[in-house]
Amino acid sequence: MSLFSQQYQQEIKKTFLLALPIVIAQLGVVLMGVTDNIMVGRYIGKIGLGAAGIANSLSFLIASIGMGGLSVVAPLISKAKAEKNIPEINRLFRAGIKVALWFSLILGLVGLLCIYCFEIFQQSPEINTQAPAFMAIIVVSNAFMFVFAATKQLSDGLSRTYVAMIITLFGLLLNLIFNIILINGYWGFPKMGLIGSATSTLITRILMMLALLFYLFQTKAFKKYLHSKYKSLKTNDLVALIFKIGVPSGLQYFFEIAAFSLAVIMMGWLGENQLAAHQIAINVASTTYMMASGLGIAGGIRVGEGRGLKDLSKIRLSGNVALLLVIAFMASMMLLILLFNRFFVELYISDNEVIAIAIDLMFVAAVFQLSDGVQVVSLGILRGISDVNIPTWITMFAYWVLSLPLGYLLAFRFNMDAIGIWIGLLAGLTASAILLTVRFYYLIKKMKVE
């Protein structure tokens, strides 16, 4: 029993130390969008908040395929590290950059098509006027975010997760400063209003990408993995592998985020107050989700290491610990949201009608914290054992067969308004959490590591 406890204590410590910088970095990524929305809500008002909200949601939805697809590289690098295969790590890094560039091109074209056909989302005339230009800038900035994410896989896969964390935190600070300056036209800059917020995100993502690339190529700890002697090694097979397991992994993110993005569109059908309230509540929920996804990434890296060591007990232990940590974390987030829901809402806006709706939505957001955390970590640890196809079907069922139809019925047929859409989201998250967790333990039970 003492050995069992000691193993868990050591794994909890290792996973926590690995996850903490990833969680902070993930928090920094989502807080850039939150910063944009707070600044827009404060300086421009609810129309600007609604426009920025739907543009950010659609852009993030499109980018989710690329971000999810690239996330499979870190567990592969962790596996190669456990096998002490330095040339393979180099090939994985270069293949990841190539995949990021392909995602930039393909998903960028998808984003431009959405902008061109923006009126199909049936938003108010004011939103239709302001959102497309904002979204165009964010879509361009996604290309730099993809390269940053691909580069980040190397440092994360080698368990040096603090690197991306530090750069992301500096990026968050820069984004806040650029938002204030460009929205209001301070220090001689033109007053750009809503477009200034999007431009701030673009500048910040470019600087973050350059900073991470510069650090990795100039730091001694990474030089042996980036040595020019490996340049002649082909990467086409790994590019194909990353696409093969990365696209289903990206679709897992897509199906969930698409459900929330379509919820934004349905909120626009209900009215501008509901849309603004939804954007506030979803920003808070997205913050805790991205932090939980950091635990999922860390769990995937630890499971990938166990796979490289061909140690089934370590794979099981790493999965158990990742799930225990996210349950503890999301339970605390649930209590925090319940206690301070009004405080969080009033950070964004002072409109009483919007505040009343947002507080109701925050209650549902608190309830689904556990489900959201468990499902994202389950996806992470399944990714660590390269199981991506069945989880993709699970997420599609949970969000598109269950969540969205239920939310639509409750909101529009049973007249539950905004709260009905969120109850549908709660049902989808809970179904996903249960099915993905069962999937992981089913595979572990039948797995034989050769």
Short mmCIF file of all heavy atoms in Angstrom, two decimals, residues 33-58:
data_model
loop_
_atom_site.label_atom_id
_atom_site.label_comp_id
_atom_site.label_asym_id
_atom_site.label_seq_id
_atom_site.Cartn_x
_atom_site.Cartn_y
_atom_site.Cartn_z
N GLY A 33 -8.29 36.43 -25.76
CA GLY A 33 -9.65 36.67 -26.24
C GLY A 33 -10.51 37.35 -25.19
O GLY A 33 -11.31 38.24 -25.50
N VAL A 34 -10.33 36.95 -23.93
CA VAL A 34 -11.07 37.59 -22.83
C VAL A 34 -10.70 39.06 -22.73
O VAL A 34 -11.57 39.93 -22.56
CB VAL A 34 -10.79 36.86 -21.50
CG1 VAL A 34 -11.39 37.63 -20.33
CG2 VAL A 34 -11.34 35.44 -21.54
N THR A 35 -9.40 39.36 -22.85
CA THR A 35 -8.94 40.75 -22.80
C THR A 35 -9.58 41.57 -23.91
O THR A 35 -10.07 42.68 -23.68
CB THR A 35 -7.41 40.80 -22.94
OG1 THR A 35 -6.81 40.09 -21.86
CG2 THR A 35 -6.91 42.25 -22.91
N ASP A 36 -9.58 40.99 -25.13
CA ASP A 36 -10.24 41.68 -26.25
C ASP A 36 -11.69 42.01 -25.92
O ASP A 36 -12.16 43.13 -26.14
CB ASP A 36 -10.20 40.80 -27.51
CG ASP A 36 -8.80 40.68 -28.10
OD1 ASP A 36 -7.91 41.44 -27.68
OD2 ASP A 36 -8.61 39.82 -28.98
N ASN A 37 -12.41 41.01 -25.38
CA ASN A 37 -13.83 41.21 -25.10
C ASN A 37 -14.08 42.20 -23.98
O ASN A 37 -15.01 43.01 -24.03
CB ASN A 37 -14.48 39.87 -24.78
CG ASN A 37 -14.66 39.00 -26.02
OD1 ASN A 37 -14.97 39.50 -27.09
ND2 ASN A 37 -14.43 37.72 -25.88
N ILE A 38 -13.25 42.16 -22.92
CA ILE A 38 -13.40 43.11 -21.82
C ILE A 38 -13.14 44.53 -22.32
O ILE A 38 -13.89 45.47 -22.02
CB ILE A 38 -12.46 42.76 -20.65
CG1 ILE A 38 -12.94 41.48 -19.95
CG2 ILE A 38 -12.41 43.91 -19.64
CD1 ILE A 38 -12.02 41.00 -18.84
N MET A 39 -12.06 44.70 -23.08
CA MET A 39 -11.73 46.03 -23.59
C MET A 39 -12.82 46.56 -24.53
O MET A 39 -13.24 47.71 -24.45
CB MET A 39 -10.39 45.99 -24.34
CG MET A 39 -9.17 45.69 -23.47
SD MET A 39 -8.81 46.99 -22.24
CE MET A 39 -9.46 46.20 -20.76
N VAL A 40 -13.30 45.67 -25.41
CA VAL A 40 -14.37 46.08 -26.35
C VAL A 40 -15.65 46.40 -25.58
O VAL A 40 -16.32 47.40 -25.86
CB VAL A 40 -14.61 44.97 -27.39
CG1 VAL A 40 -15.89 45.23 -28.17
CG2 VAL A 40 -13.42 44.86 -28.35
N GLY A 41 -16.02 45.55 -24.61
CA GLY A 41 -17.22 45.79 -23.83
C GLY A 41 -17.15 47.09 -23.06
O GLY A 41 -18.14 47.84 -22.98
N ARG A 42 -15.98 47.38 -22.50
CA ARG A 42 -15.81 48.60 -21.70
C ARG A 42 -15.79 49.86 -22.56
O ARG A 42 -16.40 50.87 -22.22
CB ARG A 42 -14.51 48.51 -20.90
CG ARG A 42 -14.59 47.59 -19.69
CD ARG A 42 -15.44 48.23 -18.61
NE ARG A 42 -15.58 47.36 -17.44
CZ ARG A 42 -16.32 47.65 -16.38
NH1 ARG A 42 -17.00 48.78 -16.36
NH2 ARG A 42 -16.41 46.83 -15.37
N TYR A 43 -15.04 49.80 -23.67
CA TYR A 43 -14.81 51.01 -24.45
C TYR A 43 -15.82 51.22 -25.57
O TYR A 43 -16.03 52.35 -26.03
CB TYR A 43 -13.39 51.00 -25.05
CG TYR A 43 -12.30 51.14 -24.02
CD1 TYR A 43 -11.29 50.19 -23.92
CD2 TYR A 43 -12.26 52.23 -23.14
CE1 TYR A 43 -10.27 50.31 -22.99
CE2 TYR A 43 -11.26 52.36 -22.20
CZ TYR A 43 -10.26 51.40 -22.13
OH TYR A 43 -9.26 51.52 -21.19
N ILE A 44 -16.45 50.14 -26.06
CA ILE A 44 -17.32 50.26 -27.23
C ILE A 44 -18.77 49.93 -26.92
O ILE A 44 -19.69 50.55 -27.45
CB ILE A 44 -16.78 49.37 -28.39
CG1 ILE A 44 -15.36 49.82 -28.76
CG2 ILE A 44 -17.70 49.43 -29.61
CD1 ILE A 44 -14.67 48.94 -29.78
N GLY A 45 -19.04 48.91 -26.05
CA GLY A 45 -20.41 48.60 -25.67
C GLY A 45 -20.85 47.24 -26.17
O GLY A 45 -20.08 46.47 -26.73
N LYS A 46 -22.15 46.95 -25.98
CA LYS A 46 -22.63 45.58 -26.21
C LYS A 46 -22.67 45.20 -27.69
O LYS A 46 -22.52 44.03 -28.02
CB LYS A 46 -24.00 45.39 -25.57
CG LYS A 46 -25.14 46.20 -26.16
CD LYS A 46 -26.41 45.93 -25.36
CE LYS A 46 -27.60 46.73 -25.90
NZ LYS A 46 -28.81 46.53 -25.08
N ILE A 47 -22.86 46.18 -28.60
CA ILE A 47 -22.83 45.84 -30.03
C ILE A 47 -21.42 45.40 -30.43
O ILE A 47 -21.22 44.39 -31.11
CB ILE A 47 -23.28 47.03 -30.91
CG1 ILE A 47 -24.70 47.47 -30.54
CG2 ILE A 47 -23.21 46.65 -32.39
CD1 ILE A 47 -25.75 46.41 -30.75
N GLY A 48 -20.43 46.16 -29.98
CA GLY A 48 -19.04 45.80 -30.25
C GLY A 48 -18.68 44.48 -29.61
O GLY A 48 -17.97 43.65 -30.19
N LEU A 49 -19.19 44.25 -28.37
CA LEU A 49 -18.92 43.00 -27.67
C LEU A 49 -19.52 41.82 -28.42
O LEU A 49 -18.89 40.77 -28.58
CB LEU A 49 -19.50 43.07 -26.25
CG LEU A 49 -19.32 41.83 -25.37
CD1 LEU A 49 -17.86 41.49 -25.17
CD2 LEU A 49 -20.00 42.04 -24.01
N GLY A 50 -20.75 42.00 -28.93
CA GLY A 50 -21.38 40.93 -29.71
C GLY A 50 -20.63 40.65 -31.00
O GLY A 50 -20.44 39.49 -31.38
N ALA A 51 -20.18 41.70 -31.69
CA ALA A 51 -19.44 41.54 -32.95
C ALA A 51 -18.10 40.84 -32.72
O ALA A 51 -17.73 39.91 -33.44
CB ALA A 51 -19.22 42.90 -33.61
N ALA A 52 -17.37 41.31 -31.70
CA ALA A 52 -16.09 40.68 -31.38
C ALA A 52 -16.29 39.24 -30.92
O ALA A 52 -15.50 38.35 -31.26
CB ALA A 52 -15.37 41.48 -30.30
N GLY A 53 -17.38 39.03 -30.17
CA GLY A 53 -17.65 37.70 -29.64
C GLY A 53 -17.89 36.68 -30.73
O GLY A 53 -17.29 35.61 -30.75
N ILE A 54 -18.77 37.01 -31.68
CA ILE A 54 -19.08 36.04 -32.74
C ILE A 54 -17.90 35.87 -33.69
O ILE A 54 -17.61 34.77 -34.17
CB ILE A 54 -20.36 36.44 -33.51
CG1 ILE A 54 -20.84 35.25 -34.37
CG2 ILE A 54 -20.17 37.68 -34.35
CD1 ILE A 54 -22.24 35.42 -34.90
N ALA A 55 -17.15 36.96 -33.94
CA ALA A 55 -15.97 36.85 -34.81
C ALA A 55 -14.89 35.99 -34.17
O ALA A 55 -14.29 35.13 -34.82
CB ALA A 55 -15.42 38.25 -35.12
N ASN A 56 -14.64 36.22 -32.87
CA ASN A 56 -13.66 35.40 -32.16
C ASN A 56 -14.09 33.94 -32.09
O ASN A 56 -13.28 33.03 -32.24
CB ASN A 56 -13.45 35.94 -30.74
CG ASN A 56 -12.35 36.99 -30.68
OD1 ASN A 56 -11.33 36.87 -31.34
ND2 ASN A 56 -12.56 38.02 -29.88
N SER A 57 -15.38 33.71 -31.87
CA SER A 57 -15.89 32.34 -31.76
C SER A 57 -15.73 31.58 -33.08
O SER A 57 -15.26 30.44 -33.09
CB SER A 57 -17.37 32.35 -31.35
OG SER A 57 -17.52 32.87 -30.05
N LEU A 58 -16.10 32.22 -34.19
CA LEU A 58 -15.97 31.57 -35.49
C LEU A 58 -14.51 31.34 -35.86
O LEU A 58 -14.14 30.29 -36.39
CB LEU A 58 -16.67 32.40 -36.57
CG LEU A 58 -18.20 32.41 -36.51
CD1 LEU A 58 -18.76 33.46 -37.47
CD2 LEU A 58 -18.77 31.04 -36.84
#
